[in-house]
mmCIF file of all heavy atoms in Angstrom:
data_model
loop_
_atom_site.group_PDB
_atom_site.id
_atom_site.type_symbol
_atom_site.label_atom_id
_atom_site.label_comp_id
_atom_site.label_asym_id
_atom_site.label_seq_id
_atom_site.Cartn_x
_atom_site.Cartn_y
_atom_site.Cartn_z
ATOM 1 N N ILE A 1584 175.433 152.868 94.706
ATOM 2 C CA ILE A 1584 176.537 152.738 95.660
ATOM 3 C C ILE A 1584 177.489 153.922 95.527
ATOM 4 O O ILE A 1584 177.906 154.524 96.527
ATOM 5 C CB ILE A 1584 177.283 151.408 95.430
ATOM 6 C CG1 ILE A 1584 176.377 150.223 95.790
ATOM 7 C CG2 ILE A 1584 178.577 151.368 96.237
ATOM 8 C CD1 ILE A 1584 176.909 148.877 95.327
ATOM 9 N N ASP A 1585 177.827 154.284 94.291
ATOM 10 C CA ASP A 1585 178.737 155.408 94.047
ATOM 11 C C ASP A 1585 178.163 156.725 94.584
ATOM 12 O O ASP A 1585 178.910 157.602 95.025
ATOM 13 C CB ASP A 1585 179.017 155.551 92.552
ATOM 14 C CG ASP A 1585 179.887 154.423 92.004
ATOM 15 O OD1 ASP A 1585 180.536 153.724 92.812
ATOM 16 O OD2 ASP A 1585 179.904 154.235 90.769
ATOM 17 N N LEU A 1586 176.825 156.867 94.534
ATOM 18 C CA LEU A 1586 176.170 158.093 95.010
ATOM 19 C C LEU A 1586 176.048 158.132 96.532
ATOM 20 O O LEU A 1586 175.630 159.148 97.089
ATOM 21 C CB LEU A 1586 174.780 158.218 94.377
ATOM 22 C CG LEU A 1586 174.734 158.507 92.875
ATOM 23 C CD1 LEU A 1586 173.304 158.411 92.353
ATOM 24 C CD2 LEU A 1586 175.314 159.888 92.576
ATOM 25 N N GLY A 1587 176.379 157.027 97.189
ATOM 26 C CA GLY A 1587 176.290 156.994 98.641
ATOM 27 C C GLY A 1587 174.900 156.735 99.164
ATOM 28 O O GLY A 1587 174.618 156.997 100.346
ATOM 29 N N PHE A 1588 174.018 156.201 98.339
ATOM 30 C CA PHE A 1588 172.665 155.873 98.772
ATOM 31 C C PHE A 1588 172.698 154.635 99.673
ATOM 32 O O PHE A 1588 173.662 153.866 99.678
ATOM 33 C CB PHE A 1588 171.765 155.601 97.572
ATOM 34 C CG PHE A 1588 171.361 156.825 96.806
ATOM 35 C CD1 PHE A 1588 172.026 158.029 96.946
ATOM 36 C CD2 PHE A 1588 170.297 156.773 95.906
ATOM 37 C CE1 PHE A 1588 171.657 159.152 96.225
ATOM 38 C CE2 PHE A 1588 169.907 157.886 95.185
ATOM 39 C CZ PHE A 1588 170.586 159.088 95.342
ATOM 40 N N ALA A 1589 171.613 154.432 100.420
ATOM 41 C CA ALA A 1589 171.500 153.276 101.301
ATOM 42 C C ALA A 1589 170.207 152.530 101.017
ATOM 43 O O ALA A 1589 169.234 153.101 100.510
ATOM 44 C CB ALA A 1589 171.541 153.700 102.764
ATOM 45 N N LEU A 1590 170.210 151.249 101.344
ATOM 46 C CA LEU A 1590 169.064 150.388 101.073
ATOM 47 C C LEU A 1590 168.067 150.423 102.222
ATOM 48 O O LEU A 1590 168.444 150.281 103.389
ATOM 49 C CB LEU A 1590 169.538 148.946 100.854
ATOM 50 C CG LEU A 1590 168.456 147.903 100.568
ATOM 51 C CD1 LEU A 1590 167.874 148.116 99.178
ATOM 52 C CD2 LEU A 1590 169.022 146.500 100.711
ATOM 53 N N ILE A 1591 166.793 150.599 101.879
ATOM 54 C CA ILE A 1591 165.710 150.457 102.848
ATOM 55 C C ILE A 1591 165.053 149.086 102.687
ATOM 56 O O ILE A 1591 164.820 148.368 103.646
ATOM 57 C CB ILE A 1591 164.664 151.576 102.677
ATOM 58 C CG1 ILE A 1591 165.313 152.954 102.857
ATOM 59 C CG2 ILE A 1591 163.517 151.390 103.676
ATOM 60 C CD1 ILE A 1591 164.399 154.107 102.540
ATOM 61 N N GLU A 1592 164.765 148.724 101.434
ATOM 62 C CA GLU A 1592 164.132 147.433 101.161
ATOM 63 C C GLU A 1592 164.426 147.020 99.731
ATOM 64 O O GLU A 1592 164.633 147.865 98.858
ATOM 65 C CB GLU A 1592 162.623 147.537 101.382
ATOM 66 C CG GLU A 1592 161.831 146.250 101.174
ATOM 67 C CD GLU A 1592 162.273 145.125 102.091
ATOM 68 O OE1 GLU A 1592 163.191 144.385 101.660
ATOM 69 O OE2 GLU A 1592 161.745 144.990 103.192
ATOM 70 N N GLU A 1593 164.457 145.710 99.488
ATOM 71 C CA GLU A 1593 164.550 145.191 98.129
ATOM 72 C C GLU A 1593 163.743 143.903 98.034
ATOM 73 O O GLU A 1593 163.664 143.136 98.987
ATOM 74 C CB GLU A 1593 166.010 144.954 97.719
ATOM 75 C CG GLU A 1593 166.752 143.911 98.527
ATOM 76 C CD GLU A 1593 168.196 143.726 98.074
ATOM 77 O OE1 GLU A 1593 168.699 144.557 97.299
ATOM 78 O OE2 GLU A 1593 168.814 142.734 98.500
ATOM 79 N N GLN A 1594 163.103 143.716 96.880
ATOM 80 C CA GLN A 1594 162.263 142.546 96.655
ATOM 81 C C GLN A 1594 162.471 142.037 95.233
ATOM 82 O O GLN A 1594 162.919 142.783 94.350
ATOM 83 C CB GLN A 1594 160.783 142.883 96.862
ATOM 84 C CG GLN A 1594 160.400 143.240 98.281
ATOM 85 C CD GLN A 1594 158.916 143.531 98.419
ATOM 86 O OE1 GLN A 1594 158.131 143.329 97.481
ATOM 87 N NE2 GLN A 1594 158.513 144.004 99.591
ATOM 88 N N LEU A 1595 162.114 140.783 95.029
ATOM 89 C CA LEU A 1595 162.147 140.172 93.706
ATOM 90 C C LEU A 1595 160.737 139.731 93.353
ATOM 91 O O LEU A 1595 160.072 139.061 94.136
ATOM 92 C CB LEU A 1595 163.095 138.977 93.702
ATOM 93 C CG LEU A 1595 163.244 138.213 92.379
ATOM 94 C CD1 LEU A 1595 163.842 139.104 91.302
ATOM 95 C CD2 LEU A 1595 164.106 136.966 92.579
ATOM 96 N N VAL A 1596 160.272 140.126 92.165
ATOM 97 C CA VAL A 1596 158.906 139.826 91.723
ATOM 98 C C VAL A 1596 158.952 139.172 90.344
ATOM 99 O O VAL A 1596 159.743 139.577 89.485
ATOM 100 C CB VAL A 1596 158.046 141.114 91.659
ATOM 101 C CG1 VAL A 1596 156.673 140.822 91.088
ATOM 102 C CG2 VAL A 1596 157.922 141.740 93.037
ATOM 103 N N LYS A 1597 158.110 138.184 90.148
ATOM 104 C CA LYS A 1597 157.962 137.560 88.836
ATOM 105 C C LYS A 1597 156.552 137.812 88.322
ATOM 106 O O LYS A 1597 155.572 137.562 89.022
ATOM 107 C CB LYS A 1597 158.221 136.050 88.923
ATOM 108 C CG LYS A 1597 158.134 135.341 87.562
ATOM 109 C CD LYS A 1597 158.374 133.838 87.701
ATOM 110 C CE LYS A 1597 158.296 133.130 86.351
ATOM 111 N NZ LYS A 1597 158.489 131.655 86.481
ATOM 112 N N GLU A 1598 156.463 138.335 87.104
ATOM 113 C CA GLU A 1598 155.163 138.588 86.482
ATOM 114 C C GLU A 1598 155.264 138.267 84.995
ATOM 115 O O GLU A 1598 156.151 138.790 84.305
ATOM 116 C CB GLU A 1598 154.733 140.052 86.682
ATOM 117 C CG GLU A 1598 153.371 140.360 86.067
ATOM 118 C CD GLU A 1598 153.005 141.828 86.203
ATOM 119 O OE1 GLU A 1598 153.871 142.700 85.952
ATOM 120 O OE2 GLU A 1598 151.853 142.109 86.568
ATOM 121 N N ASN A 1599 154.372 137.425 84.507
ATOM 122 C CA ASN A 1599 154.348 137.069 83.083
ATOM 123 C C ASN A 1599 155.720 136.594 82.584
ATOM 124 O O ASN A 1599 156.209 137.026 81.542
ATOM 125 C CB ASN A 1599 153.871 138.257 82.241
ATOM 126 C CG ASN A 1599 152.447 138.653 82.575
ATOM 127 O OD1 ASN A 1599 151.624 137.824 82.972
ATOM 128 N ND2 ASN A 1599 152.141 139.935 82.435
ATOM 129 N N LYS A 1600 156.328 135.705 83.369
ATOM 130 C CA LYS A 1600 157.609 135.079 83.020
ATOM 131 C C LYS A 1600 158.785 136.050 82.989
ATOM 132 O O LYS A 1600 159.865 135.714 82.521
ATOM 133 C CB LYS A 1600 157.511 134.342 81.685
ATOM 134 C CG LYS A 1600 156.466 133.214 81.671
ATOM 135 C CD LYS A 1600 156.460 132.501 80.335
ATOM 136 C CE LYS A 1600 155.427 131.371 80.351
ATOM 137 N NZ LYS A 1600 155.396 130.635 79.060
ATOM 138 N N ARG A 1601 158.578 137.263 83.509
ATOM 139 C CA ARG A 1601 159.676 138.223 83.612
ATOM 140 C C ARG A 1601 159.957 138.502 85.085
ATOM 141 O O ARG A 1601 159.056 138.452 85.924
ATOM 142 C CB ARG A 1601 159.333 139.527 82.891
ATOM 143 C CG ARG A 1601 159.142 139.352 81.393
ATOM 144 C CD ARG A 1601 159.136 140.682 80.677
ATOM 145 N NE ARG A 1601 160.434 141.329 80.744
ATOM 146 C CZ ARG A 1601 160.723 142.469 80.115
ATOM 147 N NH1 ARG A 1601 159.815 143.075 79.376
ATOM 148 N NH2 ARG A 1601 161.918 143.000 80.221
ATOM 149 N N PHE A 1602 161.216 138.808 85.378
ATOM 150 C CA PHE A 1602 161.650 139.036 86.747
ATOM 151 C C PHE A 1602 161.975 140.515 86.943
ATOM 152 O O PHE A 1602 162.542 141.159 86.055
ATOM 153 C CB PHE A 1602 162.892 138.198 87.066
ATOM 154 C CG PHE A 1602 162.671 136.716 86.924
ATOM 155 C CD1 PHE A 1602 162.895 136.078 85.711
ATOM 156 C CD2 PHE A 1602 162.239 135.963 88.004
ATOM 157 C CE1 PHE A 1602 162.704 134.709 85.572
ATOM 158 C CE2 PHE A 1602 162.033 134.599 87.881
ATOM 159 C CZ PHE A 1602 162.262 133.970 86.665
ATOM 160 N N TYR A 1603 161.638 141.015 88.116
ATOM 161 C CA TYR A 1603 161.874 142.428 88.416
ATOM 162 C C TYR A 1603 162.460 142.578 89.818
ATOM 163 O O TYR A 1603 161.953 141.997 90.776
ATOM 164 C CB TYR A 1603 160.565 143.226 88.348
ATOM 165 C CG TYR A 1603 159.880 143.171 87.012
ATOM 166 C CD1 TYR A 1603 158.886 142.229 86.766
ATOM 167 C CD2 TYR A 1603 160.227 144.054 85.986
ATOM 168 C CE1 TYR A 1603 158.244 142.168 85.531
ATOM 169 C CE2 TYR A 1603 159.596 143.995 84.756
ATOM 170 C CZ TYR A 1603 158.602 143.054 84.535
ATOM 171 O OH TYR A 1603 157.980 142.992 83.314
ATOM 172 N N GLU A 1604 163.517 143.361 89.908
ATOM 173 C CA GLU A 1604 164.041 143.756 91.207
ATOM 174 C C GLU A 1604 163.391 145.076 91.611
ATOM 175 O O GLU A 1604 163.330 146.011 90.816
ATOM 176 C CB GLU A 1604 165.560 143.932 91.161
ATOM 177 C CG GLU A 1604 166.326 142.636 90.962
ATOM 178 C CD GLU A 1604 167.831 142.839 91.032
ATOM 179 O OE1 GLU A 1604 168.272 143.787 91.727
ATOM 180 O OE2 GLU A 1604 168.564 142.064 90.389
ATOM 181 N N LEU A 1605 162.915 145.138 92.847
ATOM 182 C CA LEU A 1605 162.380 146.369 93.418
ATOM 183 C C LEU A 1605 163.365 146.877 94.456
ATOM 184 O O LEU A 1605 163.783 146.118 95.345
ATOM 185 C CB LEU A 1605 161.023 146.128 94.087
ATOM 186 C CG LEU A 1605 159.769 146.147 93.210
ATOM 187 C CD1 LEU A 1605 159.849 145.114 92.101
ATOM 188 C CD2 LEU A 1605 158.518 145.921 94.056
ATOM 189 N N LEU A 1606 163.745 148.126 94.338
ATOM 190 C CA LEU A 1606 164.717 148.722 95.254
ATOM 191 C C LEU A 1606 164.134 149.992 95.861
ATOM 192 O O LEU A 1606 163.743 150.912 95.131
ATOM 193 C CB LEU A 1606 166.005 149.083 94.506
ATOM 194 C CG LEU A 1606 166.902 147.930 94.050
ATOM 195 C CD1 LEU A 1606 167.864 148.416 92.979
ATOM 196 C CD2 LEU A 1606 167.673 147.387 95.237
ATOM 197 N N LEU A 1607 164.055 150.039 97.175
ATOM 198 C CA LEU A 1607 163.691 151.261 97.883
ATOM 199 C C LEU A 1607 164.951 151.758 98.573
ATOM 200 O O LEU A 1607 165.503 151.084 99.456
ATOM 201 C CB LEU A 1607 162.585 150.983 98.906
ATOM 202 C CG LEU A 1607 162.115 152.183 99.736
ATOM 203 C CD1 LEU A 1607 161.562 153.296 98.844
ATOM 204 C CD2 LEU A 1607 161.063 151.744 100.755
ATOM 205 N N VAL A 1608 165.442 152.923 98.136
ATOM 206 C CA VAL A 1608 166.721 153.438 98.625
ATOM 207 C C VAL A 1608 166.569 154.880 99.075
ATOM 208 O O VAL A 1608 165.596 155.559 98.736
ATOM 209 C CB VAL A 1608 167.820 153.335 97.534
ATOM 210 C CG1 VAL A 1608 168.026 151.890 97.106
ATOM 211 C CG2 VAL A 1608 167.464 154.198 96.311
ATOM 212 N N ALA A 1609 167.548 155.355 99.841
ATOM 213 C CA ALA A 1609 167.491 156.711 100.392
ATOM 214 C C ALA A 1609 168.769 157.469 100.077
ATOM 215 O O ALA A 1609 169.863 156.920 100.180
ATOM 216 C CB ALA A 1609 167.290 156.649 101.904
ATOM 217 N N ASN A 1610 168.612 158.751 99.717
ATOM 218 C CA ASN A 1610 169.802 159.576 99.500
ATOM 219 C C ASN A 1610 170.332 160.152 100.815
ATOM 220 O O ASN A 1610 171.489 160.553 100.904
ATOM 221 C CB ASN A 1610 169.519 160.696 98.494
ATOM 222 C CG ASN A 1610 168.647 161.808 99.064
ATOM 223 O OD1 ASN A 1610 167.882 161.594 100.006
ATOM 224 N ND2 ASN A 1610 168.722 162.989 98.470
ATOM 225 N N LYS A 1611 169.469 160.185 101.840
ATOM 226 C CA LYS A 1611 169.874 160.590 103.194
ATOM 227 C C LYS A 1611 169.601 159.396 104.100
ATOM 228 O O LYS A 1611 168.526 159.280 104.682
ATOM 229 C CB LYS A 1611 169.075 161.808 103.676
ATOM 230 C CG LYS A 1611 169.053 162.991 102.712
ATOM 231 C CD LYS A 1611 170.386 163.710 102.669
ATOM 232 C CE LYS A 1611 170.297 164.956 101.775
ATOM 233 N NZ LYS A 1611 171.592 165.609 101.581
ATOM 234 N N PRO A 1612 170.543 158.475 104.211
ATOM 235 C CA PRO A 1612 170.272 157.179 104.838
ATOM 236 C C PRO A 1612 169.760 157.278 106.269
ATOM 237 O O PRO A 1612 170.393 157.920 107.113
ATOM 238 C CB PRO A 1612 171.638 156.487 104.804
ATOM 239 C CG PRO A 1612 172.382 157.158 103.700
ATOM 240 C CD PRO A 1612 171.923 158.575 103.715
#
Side-chain angles (χ1 to χ4, degrees):
I1584 293 168
D1585 289 343
L1586 291 172
F1588 286 17
L1590 180 71
I1591 301 173
E1592 182 59 271
E1593 63 180 13
Q1594 294 181 8
L1595 180 63
V1596 175
K1597 182 181 180 182
E1598 181 183 44
N1599 297 330
K1600 300 182 179 181
R1601 296 194 67 175
F1602 300 90
Y1603 301 94
E1604 292 185 28
L1605 276 58
L1606 289 162
L1607 179 60
V1608 300
N1610 73 335
K1611 309 287 184 186

